[in-house]
């Protein structure tokens, strides 16, 4: 599949050949198999995050934290 998530395509080569494997042009185009098909491996993961928390200091440098998780 051309994508590991959120859809994509399988591709293949379809050629007309005679019984000995040589290239031919006598195949009926109406019966030609498709050269690609859709494939979907499910949704892509995404980051989900909460709001910033309180600062660890009331003045000067401090740190704010928040919850960050990767979800399918």
């Amino acid at each position: 599949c051309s994508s590991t998530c959120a859809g994509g395509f399988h591709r293949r080569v379809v050629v007309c050949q005679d019984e000995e494997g040589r290239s031919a042009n006598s195949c009926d185009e109406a019966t030609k198999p498709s050269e690609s098909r859709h494939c979907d491996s499910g949704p892509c993961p995404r980051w989900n995050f909460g709001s910033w928390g309180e600062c660890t200091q009331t003045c000067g440098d401090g740190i704010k934290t928040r919850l960050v998780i990767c979800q399918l």
Side-chain angles (χ1 to χ4, degrees), residues 51-71:
S51 301
W52 288 108
E54 293 294 317
C55 189
T56 58
Q57 300 290 330
T58 56
C59 62
D61 290 335
I63 297 174
K64 287 186 173 184
T65 60
R66 63 181 177 178
L67 178 66
V68 178
I69 56 175
C70 179
Q71 289 184 319

Side-chain angles (χ1 to χ4, degrees), residues 1-11 36-42:
C1 194
S2 62
S3 177
T4 57
C5 61
F9 288 93
H10 285 291
R11 286 185 167 71
S36 66
R37 70 177 178 181
H38 184 74
C39 54
D40 191 348
S41 302

Side-chain angles (χ1 to χ4, degrees), residues 6-28:
F9 288 93
H10 285 291
R11 286 185 167 71
R12 64 182 177 181
V13 176
V14 179
V15 296
C16 181
Q17 293 180 327
D18 63 17
E19 293 83 7
E20 295 167 11
R22 293 183 298 226
S23 182
N25 56 10
S26 57
C27 296
D28 181 2

